[in-house]
Amino acid sequence: MSDSISTEKTENENKFVAKCKALVKNFGWPRIIIALFLVVLFIIAPFVKVSIAASISDIFNRFGMNALLVLAMVPMIQSGCGLNFGLSLGVIAGLLGSTIAMQIGLTSWGGIFGAMLLSIPFAVLFGWLYGLLLNRVKGEEMTIAMYVGFAMVMLMSILWLILPYSSENMVWGYAGKGLRTTITLDGFWNKQLSNFLAIKIGENFTFPTGMILFVALCCVIMWVFMRSKTGTAMTAVGSNPDYARSSGVNINKMRTMSIIISTIFGAMGILVYQQSFGFIQLYGAPLYMAFPAVAAILIGGASINKASILNVIIGTILFQGILTMTPSVINSILQTDMSEVIRIVISNGMILYALTRKTGAKK
């Protein structure tokens, strides 16, 4: 009887260990280490007089600001186009939408949603042209995408100076033409989403309810779309293009559609980002916006050919959590401003790690 109980106990222990190993394998040691490091920072924070409430509030805010830019990676990854290093095209579409909305005097809810509507035609056009190009360079999409993104930012740096904007809120005062590098959203739609139904607890904690709800809505839309007939065909193209072709799926059409959708979500993402930030940033600002989004989704558990909404949520929280907590805690310990140095080291280090660990990914 005792031997039977002992054997059963051993089997249960083995099953528990096996489940733990499977959980660790699925979640991944890198994410576990990063999550533990984040927990350690939260434990240290009160001892160095860093407000936990303010830090958590900042993480929620950063998550809302960046989540849609990370979400924009999903359709292109699922269709086999790889990581969208050309996210700058979507960002520029959003910037065009927002500057045109300001030019014609849209404010408040009409301003931000008007900017979204105005940005969609640009995003569709840019995404379609971008898709035509990437369909001609299959296998080299990420390299070409990076070049296209950088080239478009440089082209727009010229166009921002010569496009016929005239609003005194945007143009250089001394010249009367050419858009300023940074344009304030005060009086237009500054924190329009963030302040909607915002929950404020004490002096340090504010939950940006409206922004999080909008992000959640976009995640649900993406989740439903990826499980639709079209989304399933798109995933089939990415995972097994030969099977998809034999099933009658138009490979190039699905790839182009995924790129257009990614570009649209990139445009929406920068509009959500800028309303929380409070400013529109032009010229070279969009140049490197793709890299944190790429790092976040890879750290969240995605690969170059498979991504999910869960990868977006986990990756954005971990990435933005580390970028929020590390400078605050380190600055308090060293009694000096190391925030910019730490931001560069952590951000670029995480991007480098995330990219190099995926070089061996298989279809």
Side-chain angles (χ1 to χ4, degrees):
M1 183 71 176
S2 61
D3 290 341
S4 176
I5 294 173
S6 177
T7 301
E8 185 178 351
K9 183 178 179 181
T10 302
E11 289 178 354
N12 290 334
E13 288 176 352
N14 290 337
K15 288 180 181 179
F16 177 75
V17 171
K19 287 181 180 179
C20 289
K21 288 182 178 179
L23 182 63
V24 170
K25 183 178 180 181
N26 291 333
F27 195 67
W29 276 112
R31 280 169 293 287
I32 292 174
I33 293 171
I34 291 170
L36 289 175
F37 180 56
L38 189 56
V39 170
V40 170
L41 290 175
F42 270 108
I43 293 172
I44 295 174
F47 296 99
V48 293
K49 298 181 180 179
V50 172
S51 172
I52 296 292
S55 298
I56 294 175
S57 178
D58 196 19
I59 290 173
F60 275 125
N61 194 54
R62 285 172 174 262
F63 170 81
M65 290 172 66
N66 292 276
L68 290 191
L69 295 171
V70 182
L71 184 65
M73 296 285 157
V74 173
M76 279 186 62
I77 291 174
Q78 287 293 93
S79 69
C81 293
L83 302 164
N84 186 9
F85 283 102
L87 185 64
S88 300
L89 272 71
V91 171
I92 288 170
L95 295 176
L96 283 167
S98 58
T99 51
I100 292 173
M102 290 184 70
Q103 173 68 29
I104 61 180
L106 298 180
T107 60
S108 188
W109 291 109
I112 188 166
F113 287 118
M116 290 180 181
L117 291 174
L118 288 167
S119 68
I120 289 175
F122 292 108
V124 171
L125 175 62
F126 295 163
W128 178 67
L129 294 174
Y130 185 26
L132 292 180
L133 177 60
L134 293 192
N135 282 338
R136 291 179 175 272
V137 293
K138 292 174 183 174
E140 301 293 333
E141 291 96 339
M142 288 187 284
T143 302
I144 300 302
M146 189 180 300
Y147 173 79
V148 170
F150 278 32
M152 188 63 173
V153 172
M154 294 300 102
L155 173 62
M156 287 305 300
S157 293
I158 299 172
L159 294 180
W160 295 129
L161 291 171
I162 62 177
L163 288 172
Y165 290 99
S166 59
S167 172
E168 61 181 17
N169 296 297
M170 297 190 294
V171 299
W172 294 104
Y174 64 87
K177 63 178 182 179
L179 294 180
R180 296 196 293 267
T181 304
T182 303
I183 302 169
T184 181
L185 287 174
D186 286 342
F188 289 90
W189 54 87
N190 184 23
K191 292 183 168 50
Q192 192 69 41
L193 285 171
S194 300
N195 289 340
F196 179 67
L197 299 177
I199 300 171
K200 188 173 179 61
I201 302 175
E203 295 182 0
N204 297 321
F205 181 83
T206 302
F207 184 78
T209 309
M211 181 166 60
I212 298 298
L213 287 176
F214 185 79
V215 168
L217 175 63
C218 291
C219 287
V220 169
I221 291 172
M222 180 69 77
W223 185 86
V224 171
F225 173 77
M226 294 309 298
R227 280 156 181 77
S228 67
K229 184 178 179 180
T230 303
T232 302
M234 194 176 290
T235 300
V237 168
S239 59
N240 195 331
D242 293 331
Y243 172 77
R245 187 180 294 107
S246 65
S247 300
V249 177
N250 187 321
I251 304 295
N252 286 347
K253 181 180 178 181
M254 288 296 105
R255 284 167 56 94
T256 302
M257 185 178 295
S258 74
I259 294 167
I260 290 173
I261 294 171
S262 180
T263 308
I264 291 173
F265 271 84
M268 299 300 105
I270 193 60
L271 290 168
V272 173
Y273 182 99
Q274 67 183 208
Q275 66 83 34
S276 180
F277 186 60
F279 297 92
I280 297 174
Q281 291 185 300
L282 304 175
Y283 300 96
L287 202 59
Y288 298 104
M289 294 204 74
F291 292 90
V294 167
I297 198 164
L298 291 176
I299 289 169
S303 69
I304 59 173
N305 45 58
K306 185 177 181 181
S308 69
I309 306 300
L310 186 61
N311 298 146
V312 172
I313 295 170
I314 292 174
T316 307
I317 289 174
L318 289 178
F319 189 82
Q320 297 302 326
I322 291 295
L323 290 185
T324 298
M325 290 300 297
T326 306
S328 300
V329 174
I330 298 299
N331 287 352
S332 298
I333 293 174
L334 299 180
Q335 295 298 312
T336 184
D337 187 6
M338 295 284 290
S339 58
E340 185 61 18
V341 174
I342 293 168
R343 185 193 67 79
I344 292 172
V345 171
I346 293 176
S347 180
N348 292 344
M350 292 171 79
I351 292 168
L352 180 62
Y353 160 76
L355 293 177
T356 56
R357 71 183 287 269
K358 293 299 178 181
T359 53
K362 298 179 181 180
K363 292 273 183 184

